Amino acid sequence: MKRGENYVKRLLLKKKKLEKDDFVELYESKGIQPETVQEIGRKLGIQIDVPSDFYVTIGEKREKREKTRKQIEEELKQHVESLPPTEELYYEDPYKTIFEARVFKILQSKYVILDKTCFYPVGGGQLHDTGEINGHKVISVQKVNHVIVHEIGGQVTLKEGQHIKGRIDLERRLALMRHHTATHIINEAARRVLGKHVWQAGAEKRPDRARLDITHYRLPSKDEVRKIELLANKIVMENRPVRIFWMPRNEAEQKYGFRIYQGGVVPGRNIRIVEIEDWDVEACGGLHCENTGKVGPIKIIKVERIQDGVVRIEFCAGLAAIHQIQQQEELLEKAAAVFRVPLVQVPKTAERFFKEWKELNKEIEKLRTQLSSMTAEKILKDTKTVKGYKITVKRLNLNEKELISIVEKILEKEEKAIVVLGGGVDRAIIVGGVKGPFKTELLSIVRNGGPKVQQLDQVLQRISHLIAEKVGQPISS
Ligand SMILES: [Zn+2]
């Protein structure tokens, strides 16, 4: 929220008055509510009016977007009905990156349908490929019924019937394959470490990281997580073959059991089986490395309980895992540089600094108490008594805690006293206390809100006058 707050502050100082579009932009792109903007405005002393139809506008916008998304989907479905299934080249060879094909159809001048393709669509929790078709950037790929639809970013100049050359982004594809294969490996590793009840509850494979949700009744211990990680990496290093083949459904169920449906039941009489030798067998439509060695290192980065009975494991595989480890190393190096010690000494040094820091704080606390006692005594010595009251209104260059402590000290010592102390650097602070009659009336004067630092002297003077009126005699401060 801190970052958003600074952004709003800058915007308010620049524009002073916000239009409806500004509120919508803040809400939709930064998740900042108009009430928050108002709050920030109040702190800056700027009055902010929120358009009364703000939430109606947001609702309408959302509805419109949802409608267009659904409309596009519906339209695509209608258009592909008469088309033959796209030949899925990625299943023949997931390492193939360049292919030739023919343009079947172009829809809404941005969706391209080919007779065959290497582009893997979004599916089974695996993100789509990116790449290009005759120099046109492919930004998204989806499977609509049996047809693969490539979404092009920008103007399409391709023609129906034209022969094209396609190229998928190999680095992204490899990263997706590693993360997908790693998901299968970790799923079984978790089952071996945590127990046979573990089942996949969900998964997402991205190029930079992946997550696997598993059924488990509690958050696994650090030790268990390390065991899962080690076991997964062992399977990688054993370089087990990953075999992929099609099989009649009932045969597969008989041979492997229902555990093959980790990602949910897949459609079709023939199902695609992904088998990591002597480790894991799943019905899965995703793309996988040909052996576990190609997955590369697997690093678990986060484990959390996301709901009752479901644990989320986030991890990186291959180059992404190396990046992750390098980033962590960098953090450690930064800490070591701050302490000016070698890496191995960071924990011990941090511990020592923390201990010293705590002791110093205790020491400061002690000195502060002494200082406020002394200040309180000095103030009392310099204060005249008016109608039995020790009355002090004073500005001191101290922080809130110190001011409070001085007020408390004075009230402890005196039978009847009125103390108002002002201070603060960025923000004015007024601390007051009363002992004796008039208590409630005088306290309400003191609690009259915080002024700006520049006005502090003025406000203290006013308080001084108000007290004098109440007590019935002018006082000099
Ligand atoms: Zn899978």
Side-chain angles (χ1 to χ4, degrees), residues 419-420 430-434 441-449 463:
V419 198
V420 180
I430 293 183
V431 178
V434 180
E441 291 145 279
L442 285 167
L443 276 182
S444 69
I445 298 171
V446 172
R447 285 186 186 145
N448 237 343
I463 290 176

Side-chain angles (χ1 to χ4, degrees), residues 35-308:
E35 291 75 21
T36 314
V37 181
Q38 261 178 330
E39 179 79 38
I40 295 167
R42 211 171 298 137
K43 278 190 207 157
L44 293 174
I46 302 171
Q47 161 89 17
I48 305 284
D49 296 315
V50 179
S52 55
D53 61 344
F54 171 76
Y55 283 103
V56 179
T57 311
I58 291 288
E60 280 170 358
K61 280 193 111 165
R62 194 168 286 166
E63 215 170 285
K64 209 169 145 193
R65 264 202 304 268
E66 185 62 15
K67 230 189 203 156
T68 31
R69 199 182 60 80
K70 273 203 180 126
Q71 237 170 19
I72 289 170
E73 239 176 58
E74 268 320 301
E75 269 172 48
L76 286 177
K77 264 189 191 154
Q78 276 170 21
H79 281 296
V80 303
E81 232 164 61
S82 56
L83 295 176
T86 313
E87 205 181 312
E88 298 167 301
L89 299 175
Y90 43 78
Y91 279 154
E92 285 165 25
D93 179 7
Y95 291 96
K96 187 181 166 85
T97 57
I98 294 171
F99 67 102
E100 286 180 27
R102 198 163 60 84
V103 178
F104 251 174
K105 210 148 190 73
I106 294 164
L107 303 172
Q108 297 167 7
S109 55
K110 69 169 178 176
Y111 298 103
V112 175
I113 294 164
L114 307 170
D115 60 343
K116 52 185 170 223
T117 187
C118 276
F119 282 91
Y120 185 83
V122 186
Q126 182 178 326
L127 281 191
H128 60 81
D129 287 325
T130 56
E132 52 169 35
I133 296 174
N134 273 21
H136 292 70
K137 266 210 158 71
V138 175
I139 54 169
S140 182
V141 188
Q142 51 177 314
K143 197 169 182 179
V144 182
N145 293 342
H146 49 279
V147 171
I148 289 157
V149 181
H150 309 77
E151 185 180 343
I152 304 291
Q155 199 60 38
V156 176
T157 54
L158 301 169
K159 293 199 171 51
E160 289 178 8
Q162 184 181 344
H163 278 273
I164 59 95
K165 251 197 186 153
R167 183 192 57 79
I168 63 154
D169 180 353
L170 178 64
E171 278 310 312
R172 180 182 164 100
R173 159 67 69 80
L174 288 176
L176 288 168
M177 279 162 57
R178 288 184 196 121
H179 280 116
H180 200 143
T181 313
T183 309
H184 288 217
I185 295 173
I186 289 186
N187 194 18
E188 180 59 21
R191 199 170 83 100
R192 303 240 172 149
V193 172
L194 301 174
K196 286 195 167 142
H197 57 277
V198 168
W199 196 279
Q200 177 176 318
E204 188 190 36
K205 301 97 182 180
R206 307 168 48 88
D208 55 338
R209 76 191 122 113
R211 63 170 173 80
L212 168 69
D213 300 340
I214 54 164
T215 53
H216 189 51
Y217 42 84
R218 63 170 170 80
L219 191 69
S221 68
K222 279 228 155 68
D223 198 40
E224 285 168 332
V225 173
R226 279 193 198 112
K227 269 189 192 150
I228 293 170
E229 195 177 70
L230 279 175
L231 192 50
N233 280 286
K234 194 167 154 262
I235 297 306
V236 167
M237 282 175 245
E238 285 173 7
N239 199 20
R240 301 189 185 207
V242 180
R243 292 189 199 96
I244 297 169
F245 46 91
W246 293 81
M247 211 175 176
R249 174 189 297 282
N250 51 1
E251 228 174 87
E253 285 173 2
Q254 258 169 33
K255 189 165 176 195
Y256 304 112
F258 287 97
R259 280 205 60 81
I260 55 172
Y261 300 126
Q262 289 293 313
V265 179
V266 290
R269 200 182 302 161
N270 271 314
I271 57 177
R272 189 168 177 266
I273 297 292
V274 177
E275 179 188 29
I276 299 172
E277 194 179 81
D278 296 331
W279 188 250
D280 175 78
V281 186
E282 291 182 35
C284 174
L287 300 185
H288 293 271
C289 304
E290 56 197 339
N291 51 55
T292 58
K294 289 201 172 177
V295 172
I298 296 175
K299 181 88 198 93
I300 294 178
I301 52 177
K302 195 174 171 192
V303 178
E304 59 178 337
R305 257 182 85 162
I306 53 164
Q307 66 187 68
D308 229 18

